[in-house]
């Protein structure tokens, strides 16, 4: 399984969250063309290139409910969501076959803030997990830990986010453009393993590292 496979995992943003519908008064029927689009960020820490088996890497993301809508360039209070969700991907950088391979079983993943759950697609059950942000009074927050269980080259990623909408309000679904803000994502490891650099679409969402 190559890089296109990994991009597929990053593009899976919990389809029921984005395009599901509800008949109850607290539901929200989404529009096909989402009226809201926001920029958000996340970070993997501690920021290193080399880790040891048993170390833990944390994924942290927090953003306010008052955001600038990239479509209208106006500030929006995006509050009382039915759920802001995404996927995290866990991958092996295979230097022998020059491939990105699924690697969920190489990590022990635990939730600190927010919820992670098994991907529903049976073809990629070992590639990563769905995630759901915690909505607090002023923010949406996520913090997840990855305990490293095996030596090798690895890559973690988080996809863009999606929300089906706000409770009781139709056509309020939103997309969230996610960028990993690590000052050094160790993308040299990706190029070393695969023989070519990660493109800009992929590079904004990933973090690479070595476990020894």
């Amino acid at each position: 399984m190559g890089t296109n496979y990994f991009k597929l995992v990053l593009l899976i943003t919990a389809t029921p969250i984005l395009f599901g519908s509800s008949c109850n008064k607290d539901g929200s029927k989404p529009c096909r063309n989402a009226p809201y689009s926001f920029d958000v960020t996340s970070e993997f820490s501690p920021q290193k290139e080399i880790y040891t088996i048993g170390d833990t890497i944390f994924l942290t993301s927090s953003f306010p409910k008052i955001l600038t809508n990239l479509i209208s360039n106006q500030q929006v209070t995006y509050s009382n969501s039915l759920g802001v969700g995404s996927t995290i991907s866990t991958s092996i950088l295979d230097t022998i076959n020059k491939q990105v391979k699924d690697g969920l079983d190489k990590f022990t993943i635990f939730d600190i803030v927010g919820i992670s759950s098994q991907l529903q697609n049976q073809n990629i059950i070992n590639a990563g997990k769905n995630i759901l942000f915690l909505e607090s009074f002023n923010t949406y927050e996520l913090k997840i830990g990855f305990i490293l269980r095996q030596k090798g080259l690895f890559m973690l990623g988080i996809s863009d986010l999606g929300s089906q909408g706000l409770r009781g309000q139709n056509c309020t679904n939103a997309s969230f453009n996610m960028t990993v803000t690590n000052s050094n994502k160790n993308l040299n490891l990706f190029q070393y393993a695969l023989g070519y650099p990660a493109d800009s679409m992929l590079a904004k969402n990933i973090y690479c590292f070595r476990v020894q």
Side-chain angles (χ1 to χ4, degrees):
M1 298 181 184
T3 307
N4 288 337
Y5 165 82
F6 178 71
K7 288 182 179 178
L8 174 64
V9 176
L10 279 182
L11 289 172
I12 296 171
T13 53
T15 302
I17 292 177
L18 286 172
F19 298 117
S21 62
S22 177
C23 298
N24 63 60
K25 64 180 181 179
D26 292 325
S28 174
K29 185 176 181 180
C31 292
R32 180 61 57 174
N33 296 318
Y36 301 116
S37 179
F38 308 111
D39 280 335
V40 295
T41 61
S42 60
E43 181 181 278
F44 290 98
S45 64
Q47 298 190 38
K48 300 191 294 184
E49 181 173 329
I50 301 174
Y51 298 84
T52 302
I53 291 176
D55 286 351
T56 301
I57 295 176
F58 298 95
L59 169 63
T60 305
S61 180
S62 178
F63 53 90
K65 291 184 175 180
I66 300 176
L67 297 158
T68 299
N69 184 7
L70 301 177
I71 297 173
S72 66
N73 201 33
Q74 295 179 333
Q75 281 199 324
V76 172
T77 300
Y78 200 81
S79 183
N80 205 23
S81 170
L82 289 170
V84 175
S86 176
T87 58
I88 51 174
S89 52
T90 52
S91 304
I92 302 167
L93 297 175
D94 185 345
T95 58
I96 297 175
N97 297 306
K98 302 295 183 182
Q99 292 181 342
V100 177
K101 300 168 63 176
D102 53 312
L104 183 61
D105 59 350
K106 311 307 179 189
F107 302 87
T108 297
I109 299 175
F110 59 97
D111 305 335
I112 301 171
V113 179
I115 300 171
S116 64
S117 61
Q118 189 68 50
L119 286 170
Q120 298 302 306
N121 189 319
Q122 294 299 311
N123 295 322
I124 53 175
I125 57 175
N126 198 38
K129 288 191 172 186
N130 288 319
I131 53 174
L132 189 65
F133 279 62
L134 173 68
E135 181 176 357
S136 61
F137 183 73
N138 290 316
T139 61
Y140 291 95
E141 299 180 5
L142 179 79
K143 187 171 185 179
I144 293 178
F146 303 80
I147 301 175
L148 311 178
R149 297 172 52 188
Q150 183 171 308
K151 294 180 180 180
L153 297 184
F154 297 94
M155 177 170 63
L156 297 175
I158 177 170
S159 72
D160 293 342
L161 318 181
S163 166
Q164 181 184 326
L166 305 179
R167 286 182 174 82
Q169 301 181 50
N170 291 334
C171 202
T172 52
N173 48 307
S175 62
F176 299 76
N177 178 45
M178 173 61 73
T179 299
V180 173
T181 59
N182 289 54
S183 58
N184 186 357
K185 300 178 184 179
N186 306 315
L187 298 178
N188 58 299
L189 297 178
F190 183 99
Q191 183 164 358
Y192 167 75
L194 274 71
Y196 56 87
D199 62 33
S200 58
M201 176 182 172
L202 188 60
K204 80 180 188 68
N205 291 92
I206 63 174
Y207 177 63
C208 303
F209 54 93
R210 182 190 302 272
V211 181
Q212 64 179 19

